[in-house]
Amino acid sequence: MRVLVALSPLGLDAAAGPSSGDVLGEARDVEEEFEPVVAAIRSISPRIEVLRPGVVALDARGPTRYFGGEAELCERVREAARVATGRLATGRPGCARPRVGIAGGRFAAEIAARRDVIVRPGGDAEFLSRFPLSVLVDAELEGVLGSLGISTLGEFAALPKGSVLGRFGAEAGRLHDLARGRDDRVLGSTPAREEFVSSAVMEPASEVIEAVLRLAADPSEELIAELEIRGLISTCVEVLVVDDEGNSISRVWTVTRDRVGFDAGTLIERLRCQLEELRLKSAEPAHFSGRIERISFKARDVVPVGVNQVGLWGGTSDADERAMRCIDRVQAVLGPGAVRTAVIRGGRMPRERVEFVPWGTDPKKLLRTGVSRELPWPGRLPRPSPALVHDPVLTAELLDDGGSLVIVTSRGRLSARPARLRIDRRRWLIVVDWGGPWTIDERWWDFSRTRRLARVQLLCERGAGYLCVFEAKRWWVEASYD
Amino acid sequence: MRRPVPPVVSVDAHAKRSFGVVDELADLLPEGRIRAGSVVAVRGSTGATSLALLTVARSAMQGSWVAVVGIADLGIEAASELGLPLERVVLISRPTSRWVEAVAVLLRGVDVVVLSPPGRCSARDARRMAAIARERGSLLVVTRGAGYDDDWSWPVPADVTLEALSSRWGGLDEGHGTLCSREIAVRVFGRRAHSLERRGVVTCGF
């Protein structure tokens, strides 16, 4: 098996390594941004699987023959995705280009895509071995393994299978297989071992999405019930939509969180996405009439209950499931990068202490080795933290009683008592008290340069507090204690 | 396969459910809690963001999911320090022009939605969101952080309005110390003009 994974710039956020600095809230107008990328890659290979928003996988074997080599195929996919995202890439600072990788299995291919490389056939295990555990396992398992002196995938893979299963359970056993480069998850056009298909026919054919969705309710529930009876769940379902002229469009969907199978409600949401995409892209494919006559659901990745359900999420309630489904749906409305969660990590400045993670990524995976909120961070301000952290920062002017600019001297002191503060050229505020300055010499958000800056807490009338920064003879507001 | 017909639920069905709030805030609320299905407006030129977070902190700790819409510069650490478990907090920082639609979807599945409208909000949209919250028993907290117009208000009367009047901070003294303990003076009033107004102080420090 050879798997190609493409990461769109949006999907990159999910996969970004610690060195990528563009995860902090740049202006994102991501509405429906990802759909053109899917369409562009589909034009290269019709059987694609969307692993997560922004992340597409396909079986590379056929197209490789067609395009005359894996490097050529990668370049083709990269170019198609780049053209499709080109519209958004312009004018967005630091916007990454799409990345593409090929490897023997899906997991290795995802890692390869982050690095934009092709892993040689049979080389998955070796390629993966040097990556830290955090790319695969959650913080808890990482901690336990870390205490055993295991910090890379290679070291994890070297453990005997039996002791991993015995000590950490089935889920860890599955991860252990992935670390060893044994990733037999079915992809794209490979048929499921057993056929689980459920479909419904519209009479007459309809263009109304809500009507199609109503019709789809029964087959979706039948499929799930059918699986349930056999003690199975499906983590990958192909949704097929056929028009009244017999043209069909199929799309393979994977569950957002790798561990819980599809339920009927999620299937309907996925179908809704697919139908809305069809309606928006009515020109593509040109022959599709839009009058939908038949829909069918086909379970692809089918596994016994329990294998996948060892929740790294620590168990979920009905309310959690409902909330997560609803958030999936909002993500479908607004675009993949629009919905995020946040994790706190180490750092001195408020902005660098938080990492944003697109919804659907396991946030625990972002708690990386070597950076921890529990570590003492010299120079970090004590609690409470500011309720607003500005990004971009706000310009500020700080004057003394006589109307002169207050500066921080080379000895790290204020040149005068601060008296008045103006933020973003709004009205002047009276400064009633202050703390600092505290100076920092460090590489800050710009890792390539060292900077020297000083921070001051300013307390203004009515108890409005600000964290201001002085650098290169200018003030700005980093955060507000709103 | 037949699906069960959902039972007809009256609009008041959620009235008995409620969202808990921290004690000092509870003292200021007419019933000591916030009814499920309410719209709560939080405003004030300083302290509104902290007060909004504090309003939803208790229910978040008790298991509710919280969606924060339109607050691009939310201080994540502050939210965490005030008690919001980040694993159940989703951020929709820049929700584009389809934010009303997004909020409408969220109110159907997430217990608590904190919204700072990214654009003008019409009275019609505001009423629509309120109706969904009432129907689903969710909580919509609308706010506007520092830096916006002081006289911001929600286009239709909220069930409860919390106004942060001013904050008193401890810890600073002419260059020494850091901001630490904080008390926010709060004014609370209800939907109707004649509803009782209460004032009090909410501690927001550590």
Side-chain angles (χ1 to χ4, degrees):
Chain A
M1 182 80 171
R2 297 293 282 165
V3 179
L4 178 147
V5 168
L7 300 168
S8 82
L10 305 168
L12 267 180
D13 284 359
S19 59
S20 139
D22 67 345
V23 282
L24 295 182
E26 70 211 35
R28 285 193 178 86
D29 184 11
V30 291
E31 195 173 331
E32 291 148 20
E33 276 186 12
F34 183 53
E35 290 311 324
V37 181
V38 175
I41 298 175
R42 191 188 280 125
S43 70
I44 291 171
S45 173
R47 308 307 284 260
I48 61 169
E49 180 179 344
V50 178
L51 301 178
R52 288 191 303 282
V55 184
V56 172
L58 56 93
D59 186 337
R61 289 172 298 187
T64 295
R65 278 193 296 277
Y66 185 81
F67 289 107
E70 292 188 333
E72 288 75 12
L73 172 63
C74 281
E75 196 41 55
R76 191 62 71 105
V77 171
R78 203 176 283 128
E79 182 60 18
R82 196 189 59 75
V83 170
T85 47
R87 181 179 51 81
L88 28 134
T90 52
R92 217 207 281 174
C95 184
R97 64 197 177 78
R99 297 187 201 183
V100 180
I102 294 182
R106 194 172 110 181
F107 171 63
E110 270 196 60
I111 304 286
R114 295 184 204 178
R115 301 293 184 284
D116 234 359
V117 296
I118 296 170
V119 180
R120 64 172 176 79
D124 281 15
E126 184 198 339
F127 168 72
L128 290 171
S129 64
R130 62 198 162 87
F131 286 94
L133 278 175
S134 54
V135 301
L136 176 65
V137 305
D138 70 336
E140 196 185 324
L141 184 54
E142 186 187 345
V144 178
L145 291 169
S147 68
L148 299 171
I150 291 165
S151 63
T152 65
L153 292 183
E155 289 159 358
F156 181 42
L159 293 177
K161 179 80 184 173
S163 35
V164 171
L165 276 173
R167 185 154 175 188
F168 303 112
E171 170 69 10
R174 200 175 67 83
L175 298 176
H176 185 248
D177 279 342
L178 295 183
R180 294 197 298 168
R182 298 193 180 172
D183 188 355
D184 53 3
R185 283 175 291 177
V186 186
L187 190 78
S189 55
T190 316
R193 277 178 288 272
E194 234 183 310
E195 289 274 280
F196 291 101
V197 186
S198 179
S199 49
V201 175
M202 265 331 255
E203 196 72 58
S206 173
E207 287 180 89
V208 184
I209 288 181
E210 292 302 326
V212 178
L213 292 177
R214 267 199 304 281
L215 178 87
D218 279 354
S220 69
E221 285 176 8
E222 277 159 20
L223 179 72
I224 301 302
E226 190 81 359
L227 292 168
E228 230 171 59
I229 291 166
R230 289 168 173 75
L232 299 170
I233 54 170
S234 175
T235 55
C236 176
V237 170
E238 177 176 350
V239 181
L240 182 77
V241 178
V242 185
D243 74 1
D244 57 354
E245 290 160 9
N247 302 308
S248 67
I249 293 219
S250 93
R251 177 101 161 248
V252 179
W253 295 93
T254 316
V255 275
T256 328
R257 287 160 303 283
D258 217 43
R259 294 152 195 93
V260 189
F262 271 108
D263 58 35
T266 315
L267 284 181
I268 295 293
E269 286 313 320
R270 295 295 183 269
L271 174 62
R272 180 195 292 275
C273 270
Q274 202 166 326
L275 293 174
E276 279 172 359
E277 184 204 342
L278 266 181
R279 192 184 51 182
L280 291 168
K281 306 271 175 297
S282 51
E284 181 271 345
H287 53 269
F288 199 80
S289 78
R291 292 180 299 276
I292 291 149
E293 191 176 81
R294 189 163 69 88
I295 54 108
S296 83
F297 298 100
K298 180 170 172 186
R300 289 189 163 277
D301 254 7
V302 174
V303 292
V305 179
V307 172
N308 262 25
Q309 279 181 323
V310 183
L312 299 179
W313 280 72
T316 50
S317 67
D318 285 354
D320 289 340
E321 286 296 326
R322 186 171 54 100
M324 288 190 263
R325 268 207 303 278
C326 160
I327 296 161
D328 285 349
R329 174 126 184 254
V330 171
Q331 194 170 36
V333 171
L334 295 178
V339 182
R340 300 183 295 173
T341 52
V343 286
I344 297 172
R345 51 184 199 140
R348 282 181 206 178
M349 300 300 280
R351 276 196 302 173
E352 68 180 26
R353 290 179 53 81
V354 172
E355 187 155 339
F356 293 98
V357 190
W359 171 253
T361 318
D362 188 341
K364 289 174 189 166
K365 282 195 184 142
L366 278 164
L367 296 173
R368 290 178 203 291
T369 41
V371 186
S372 164
R373 62 190 294 198
E374 307 306 335
L375 291 174
W377 283 89
R380 192 214 150 193
L381 286 171
R383 292 171 163 210
S385 298
L388 295 174
V389 177
H390 305 295
D391 190 8
V393 295
L394 312 175
T395 59
E397 298 151 83
L398 184 63
L399 303 184
D400 64 13
D401 259 337
S404 314
L405 181 71
V406 176
I407 62 162
V408 178
T409 66
S410 57
R411 302 177 62 189
R413 301 227 174 94
L414 291 180
S415 61
R417 294 172 61 100
R420 289 187 297 151
L421 170 70
R422 185 161 75 158
I423 301 167
D424 257 1
R425 310 197 71 81
R426 297 197 292 258
R427 68 183 179 83
W428 287 96
L429 304 168
I430 297 163
V431 177
V432 297
D433 213 336
W434 75 96
W438 305 280
T439 52
I440 311 182
D441 293 285
E442 72 164 20
R443 46 169 213 175
W444 193 31
W445 73 85
D446 186 345
F447 291 106
S448 62
R449 266 179 275 170
T450 306
R451 302 191 153 214
R452 181 153 207 270
L453 43 92
R455 292 164 303 162
V456 178
Q457 279 182 335
L458 293 173
L459 184 58
C460 299
E461 54 200 299
R462 290 209 278 180
Y466 300 96
L467 177 59
C468 296
V469 174
F470 181 80
E471 194 212 358
K473 297 194 165 61
R474 283 185 336 151
W475 287 97
W476 71 76
V477 180
E478 176 84 13
S480 302
Y481 294 86
D482 183 46
Chain B
M1 193 180 300
R2 281 287 113 215
R3 282 184 306 152
V5 178
V8 178
V9 182
S10 84
V11 179
D12 293 336
H14 302 289
K16 289 198 192 79
R17 274 185 55 213
S18 65
F19 291 96
V21 291
V22 293
D23 296 344
E24 283 173 310
L25 210 49
D27 292 344
L28 296 175
L29 292 167
E31 296 172 323
R33 64 201 174 101
I34 298 170
R35 277 187 190 212
S38 299
V39 177
V40 176
V42 182
R43 60 187 217 196
S45 60
T46 175
T49 305
S50 295
L51 190 56
L53 293 173
L54 205 60
T55 305
V56 304
R58 177 66 63 87
S59 43
M61 279 185 266
Q62 289 168 346
S64 289
W65 283 71
V66 179
V68 182
V69 182
I71 310 182
D73 45 4
L74 180 74
I76 301 300
E77 282 192 278
S80 171
E81 286 164 12
L82 288 169
L84 276 74
L86 296 183
E87 62 272 21
R88 284 196 301 276
V89 176
V90 288
L91 308 160
I92 296 145
S93 306
R94 297 180 168 92
T96 74
S97 56
R98 295 171 77 178
W99 63 273
V100 175
E101 193 184 337
V103 170
V105 173
L106 287 167
L107 285 170
R108 292 197 165 94
V110 174
D111 296 318
V112 178
V113 178
V114 180
L115 165 70
S116 175
R120 286 201 72 80
C121 179
S122 69
R124 190 171 150 266
D125 283 338
R127 273 192 288 270
R128 188 178 145 220
M129 287 184 261
I132 296 170
R134 196 157 58 239
E135 182 203 322
R136 304 299 296 222
S138 38
L139 168 62
L140 175 61
V141 175
V142 288
T143 186
R144 211 86 214 253
Y148 295 94
D149 303 335
D150 289 358
D151 58 352
W152 172 81
S153 66
W154 189 235
V156 295
D159 297 301
V160 181
T161 301
L162 306 175
E163 185 171 2
L165 300 169
S166 64
S167 291
R168 216 176 68 194
W169 288 89
L172 282 190
D173 182 21
E174 310 247 313
H176 300 284
T178 57
L179 291 171
C180 59
S181 64
R182 178 189 200 178
E183 289 175 349
I184 307 180
V186 181
R187 185 168 77 103
V188 179
F189 53 94
R191 170 185 286 277
R192 283 166 282 275
H194 57 80
S195 63
L196 199 62
E197 177 186 308
R198 301 182 192 215
R199 283 169 190 257
V201 167
V202 176
T203 312
C204 203
F206 299 91

